Amino acid sequence: MTVALILAVILAVTCVVAVALPFLREPEPESDSLDELDERDRRRLELFEARDRALSALKELEFDHRTGTISDDDYRTLVGPLRREAAHALQALERDGAEARVEVKNEEGRPTGGRT
């Protein structure tokens, strides 16, 4: 009976180690170097950051207004410019995305307009 118990413990420990081993290994990175962003990627990143800042400010303003920290008049004064800033960033991102899709289609040799 004790031999069977020892074998069962050894088998259980072996199974746990075999299952856990892939999670304990550090993955090997392909390379540690970061690629430099080109001008388009840098612009998109700036637009994403502008969008996030504006939406975050709108969310905070809305929260402050609902909790009574900001009066109705102050809220009306502040909400317009923040909405315009968020809309401007979103429109710029949309335009940039549309331009990127057109360039990809042109590079693939697909027609960009009209029927053939």
Side-chain angles (χ1 to χ4, degrees), residues 34-113:
L34 296 175
D35 296 332
E36 282 294 318
L37 296 176
D38 62 357
E39 188 61 33
R40 167 171 271 160
D41 290 339
R42 188 172 288 118
R43 174 164 164 66
R44 286 185 59 79
L45 183 61
E46 289 171 0
L47 289 172
F48 281 126
E49 289 173 351
R51 177 204 61 188
D52 292 345
R53 277 193 307 270
L55 292 176
S56 176
L58 275 170
K59 184 176 180 180
E60 187 174 335
L61 180 66
E62 184 70 29
F63 177 78
D64 288 344
H65 182 249
R66 287 184 183 204
T67 58
T69 308
I70 294 180
S71 68
D72 290 340
D73 293 333
D74 290 340
Y75 174 78
R76 283 188 212 100
T77 303
L78 296 172
V79 76
L82 287 175
R83 284 182 179 167
R84 282 190 291 279
E85 183 181 341
H88 174 44
L90 288 170
Q91 288 170 348
L93 278 169
E94 189 175 309
R95 276 193 310 270
D96 196 46
E99 290 171 6
R101 285 190 297 274
V102 167
E103 285 181 15
V104 168
K105 285 184 180 183
N106 287 339
E107 289 173 4
E108 292 176 355
R110 294 182 186 159
T112 57

Side-chain angles (χ1 to χ4, degrees), residues 14-31:
T14 304
C15 290
V16 168
V17 169
V19 169
L21 197 58
F23 297 105
L24 299 176
R25 286 192 209 136
E26 186 71 29
E28 292 293 322
E30 291 182 18
S31 74

